[in-house]
Amino acid sequence: MTVERVPAGLVGATSHGHLLELIRAGDGLSRQQLLSTTGMSRATLYERLDTLTRRGYIYEAEPLGSTGGRPSRKIRFEDRGRVVLAITLGQTHGTVSIADTTGRQLRSFTKTLDVSAPAESVLGPLIREGQELLAQGKNETLLGIGVSLPAPVEADTGHVRHPTTLPGWADDSVVQAVTASWDLPLVVENDARAAGLGERRSDAETVVYVKVGTGIGCGIVVEGSILRGAHGAAGDIGHIRMTPDGPLCRCGRRGCLAAYSSGRALSEKLSGRGFRNMADIRAAAWAGDPAVLGAVESAAEVLGSALAATVTTLNPDRLVLGGDLGSLDFFAEQVGERVLADVVDRIGEGLVVETGHPEDQAACSGLATLVMRKIFAPGAVDQVFSEEAVRVASGSTRR
């Protein structure tokens, strides 16, 4: 099972990449703190700090308190003016965001779309909007691009797998569209998994994030790492079969969870009453329409029953619900009640069930984290220095 890894302990780090990771993880560190933490010799540490500074990875920031003589300065990661472009796709809308290196949205644009349309007609306008948003910035440097999709994704290649929601899209549609515009690091991820990573509060917790919108997806984050599965399909809980003869699902089978508890299922169930989309259903639910509240409660009951098994298996710190339907407080409360009623006390003890940030904001944050890890992970940084050393040595040999 593939798990996206987070760098382990940094004490004793000696390479450029691990030294940079230590600096990134801290809120500014002095040379003395770095010497104490890494155990490196003063000469080696200073040489590597100088190299990282010249390459634009770090900079000397504000001075620390003086103890006599020249005050020491904090060494910080160079993130000033550096941004990430995030494109988050749902089944009915897409958001393009410019984010800082922490995932905070600086500028964004959202448009309605039909994700089942051909890839070029969906991605083209969003890429052009991204170019326009980038042009609005001043003194910004684009580091990389992240794209999230409502479909299983193979993280290593960025290819879409078994795209029930993206019929007709080639596996590499996203990669081809983005690399035609930017020659920069690219991350492609499932939407619920990206949002789950964006919802984590620390790398110490286990989070189960469930997006309940037009469809249903789940992102599982354990100690800061996304659980992706052998073929990029981990968390595809919308197609858990609840009954063998239930409503017809878009995947062609009957009785899937999505056929009971998704926004699409509710829209179909309530269409005869004039509620044809999630905006209508949300408004009617807040107004107290009994038919809508009954349908929402039924959907929450089925979803909570399904999630009880996931919660029991993972024993998470938090169960976070997002999406047009999942972000309704009373829906999340009903899901939580069902989950806690079905799990044993030792699993439910301390479990927090809550609604998350707006889904595009959470996914944007998760994508920014993945882009930053791809570029600045110790192995990636060390590879840059290794390749540079080979080029220098090769040039010396030719001379």
Side-chain angles (χ1 to χ4, degrees):
M1 187 165 287
T2 302
V3 178
E4 192 275 329
R5 298 293 182 186
V6 176
L10 294 169
V11 175
T14 57
S15 73
H16 291 92
H18 281 89
L19 182 59
L20 178 63
E21 182 73 353
L22 180 57
I23 294 169
R24 285 187 61 211
D27 184 26
L29 298 170
S30 69
R31 284 175 168 78
Q32 187 57 50
Q33 288 172 317
L34 291 169
L35 283 169
S36 300
T37 302
T38 64
M40 298 167 68
S41 71
R42 185 178 299 272
T44 301
L45 174 67
Y46 283 20
E47 180 276 326
R48 292 195 172 159
L49 289 176
D50 181 61
T51 302
L52 288 169
T53 300
R54 285 188 285 108
R55 299 294 190 275
Y57 286 104
I58 59 175
Y59 69 101
E60 285 194 340
E62 70 275 15
L64 298 164
S66 177
T67 57
R70 183 181 177 183
S72 177
R73 288 181 174 273
K74 283 187 175 184
I75 308 297
R76 290 190 182 276
F77 171 62
E78 180 56 277
D79 59 357
R80 297 172 298 183
R82 294 184 171 187
V83 297
V84 172
L85 173 65
I87 301 175
T88 58
L89 283 174
Q91 293 190 38
T92 59
H93 72 281
T95 297
V96 185
S97 304
I98 307 300
D100 65 17
T101 58
T102 68
R104 180 173 62 92
Q105 287 177 314
L106 304 176
R107 304 182 295 281
S108 66
F109 171 83
T110 300
K111 65 169 295 182
T112 58
L113 51 79
D114 178 5
V115 79
S116 65
E120 289 184 4
S121 66
V122 173
L123 296 171
L126 296 175
I127 288 173
R128 290 191 290 274
E129 187 60 40
Q131 292 169 331
E132 293 180 11
L133 287 176
L134 287 166
Q136 297 171 15
K138 294 182 179 180
N139 300 318
E140 291 179 344
T141 300
L142 179 63
L143 294 175
I145 301 95
V147 181
S148 63
L149 302 168
V153 173
E154 188 178 74
D156 291 342
T157 63
H159 289 183
V160 181
R161 299 301 185 194
H162 311 295
T164 302
T165 56
L166 308 174
W169 285 39
D171 289 356
D172 63 349
S173 292
V174 176
V175 175
Q176 292 295 330
V178 173
T179 56
S181 296
W182 295 284
D183 183 19
L184 289 169
L186 168 65
V187 167
V188 185
E189 185 54 272
N190 168 265
D191 59 346
R193 294 203 297 252
L197 185 64
E199 285 289 352
R200 84 197 189 291
R201 293 173 181 166
S202 77
D203 286 344
E205 68 174 355
T206 296
V207 177
V208 173
Y209 174 88
V210 182
K211 178 181 176 180
V212 191
T214 304
I216 299 177
C218 176
I220 300 165
V221 180
V222 181
E223 295 181 353
S225 297
I226 294 174
L227 183 66
R228 293 193 172 99
H231 305 292
D236 195 8
I237 64 171
H239 299 291
I240 294 174
R241 178 171 274 182
M242 305 302 293
T243 59
D245 56 353
L248 182 66
C249 179
R250 290 190 73 198
C251 72
R253 306 192 311 165
R254 289 191 174 276
C256 290
L257 176 61
Y260 285 101
S261 301
S262 68
R264 184 186 300 276
L266 276 183
S267 296
E268 292 175 351
K269 186 174 183 178
L270 295 169
S271 61
R273 295 178 175 271
F275 306 115
R276 301 185 180 182
N277 54 49
M278 278 307 305
D280 291 344
I281 292 172
R282 285 174 63 95
W286 281 114
D289 184 284
V292 172
L293 290 177
V296 169
E297 182 176 357
S298 177
E301 185 80 7
V302 176
L303 178 61
S305 180
L307 287 177
T310 301
V311 168
T312 298
T313 302
L314 296 169
N315 188 23
D317 296 281
R318 290 188 298 134
L319 171 61
V320 184
L321 285 93
D324 286 342
L325 182 56
S327 60
L328 291 171
D329 289 337
F330 51 84
F331 180 84
E333 289 173 5
Q334 291 170 342
V335 170
E337 289 174 3
R338 180 70 269 167
V339 169
L340 292 174
D342 286 356
V343 302
V344 296
D345 290 345
R346 61 180 176 275
I347 297 295
E349 184 178 1
L351 174 68
V352 175
V353 182
E354 60 188 358
T355 57
H357 297 90
E359 62 190 85
D360 296 324
Q361 181 180 329
C364 173
S365 177
L367 289 173
T369 296
L370 291 173
V371 169
M372 294 297 290
R373 288 179 181 176
K374 182 170 185 173
I375 299 171
F376 297 107
V381 173
D382 290 338
Q383 182 66 25
V384 170
F385 280 93
S386 176
E387 291 173 353
E388 183 176 289
V390 170
R391 287 194 298 269
V392 170
S394 176
S396 299
T397 299
R398 287 195 297 271
R399 287 193 297 271

